[in-house]
């Protein structure tokens, strides 16, 4: 009972969008493609050079080369809309998350460890399919001072793994 005499009511938290297995794949560091669109619905798209996923998937941050991602960053800043695809190259297991409330933020020195972990993870992941660590390093090359970040809480999640379930909303059992 509260001080007012009313019974305290516990409100359940939001239903998770992603299974622990998918969260682990996303957090480990796999290929990340970020997209949005302009007012005319023309798409903007770019490969992220890093990502960070909150423990329960409640917050996701993707890092982009600002110079290469100018249109995408403008589109997200204008609309708040973002769709991000996380794909495991060796298995093609893929998940897409979307938000309508994404925000741009500056990249700080506190982000450097996440970027380094992501690079190492992608070097390992691409190594599984025959690419050298140098390939991953070149693909994800960036100047720290040229990075921008997009942070968001996912609102929707979809299975995008090639096959009969591709495009289906993900449902996590309670």
């Amino acid at each position: 009972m509260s001080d007012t005499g009313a019974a305290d009511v516990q409100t359940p938290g939001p239903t998770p969008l992603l299974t622990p297995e998918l969260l682990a794949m996303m957090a480990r560091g796999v290929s990340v493609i970020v997209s949005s669109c302009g007012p005319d619905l023309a798409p903007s798209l770019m490969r992220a050079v890093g990502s960070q996923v909150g423990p329960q998937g409640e917050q996701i941050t993707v890092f982009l080369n600002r110079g290469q991602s100018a249109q995408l960053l403008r589109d997200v800043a204008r609309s708040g809309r973002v769709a991000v695809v996380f794909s495991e190259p060796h298995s093609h297991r893929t998940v897409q998350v979307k938000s309508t409330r994404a925000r741009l933020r500056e990249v700080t020195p506190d982000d450097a460890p996440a970027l380094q972990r992501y690079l190492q993870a992608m070097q390992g992941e691409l190594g599984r399919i025959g690419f050298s660590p140098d390939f991953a390093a070149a693909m994800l090359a960036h100047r720290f001072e040229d990075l921008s970040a997009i942070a968001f809480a996912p609102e929707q999640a979809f299975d995008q793994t090639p096959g009969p379930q591709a495009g289906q909303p993900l449902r996590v059992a309670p």
Side-chain angles (χ1 to χ4, degrees):
M1 298 283 278
S2 68
D3 292 343
T4 63
D8 289 329
V9 177
Q10 294 289 333
T11 358
T15 304
L17 293 174
L18 302 158
T19 65
E21 180 185 19
L22 284 173
L23 283 170
M25 177 195 81
M26 293 164 59
R28 182 176 69 247
V30 294
S31 178
V32 178
I33 304 295
V34 184
S35 66
S36 190
C37 65
D40 60 353
L41 301 181
S44 52
L45 178 91
M46 185 55 59
R47 173 177 297 284
V49 298
S51 67
Q52 188 165 25
V53 178
Q56 304 301 314
E58 70 283 359
Q59 184 72 21
I60 296 173
T61 303
V62 292
F63 301 95
L64 299 158
N65 277 312
R66 188 178 307 119
Q68 297 172 348
S69 306
Q71 185 62 52
L72 173 61
L73 294 168
R74 279 192 299 274
D75 290 343
V76 171
R78 182 196 55 76
S79 70
R81 293 171 40 176
V82 68
V84 179
V85 173
F86 291 82
S87 184
E88 189 175 59
H90 82 273
S91 70
H92 300 293
R93 182 171 54 166
T94 304
V95 62
Q96 179 187 56
V97 292
K98 293 183 176 185
S99 178
T100 59
R101 296 186 308 252
R103 64 178 178 78
L104 304 184
R105 74 163 178 81
E106 292 298 314
V107 178
T108 70
D110 291 341
D111 295 314
L115 288 158
Q116 186 60 36
R117 278 191 305 275
Y118 182 81
L119 172 60
Q120 291 170 344
M122 278 295 287
Q123 287 173 321
E125 182 62 35
L126 292 176
R128 293 180 74 174
I129 58 172
F131 290 95
S132 75
D134 291 341
F135 177 83
M139 182 175 76
L140 301 174
H142 61 272
R143 289 186 354 260
F144 191 82
E145 60 276 7
D146 185 41
L147 293 179
S148 271
I150 300 173
F152 64 97
E155 298 165 7
Q156 297 177 301
F158 300 88
D159 182 349
Q160 294 296 1
T161 303
Q165 297 304 310
Q168 294 299 307
L170 290 174
R171 291 177 178 77
V172 176

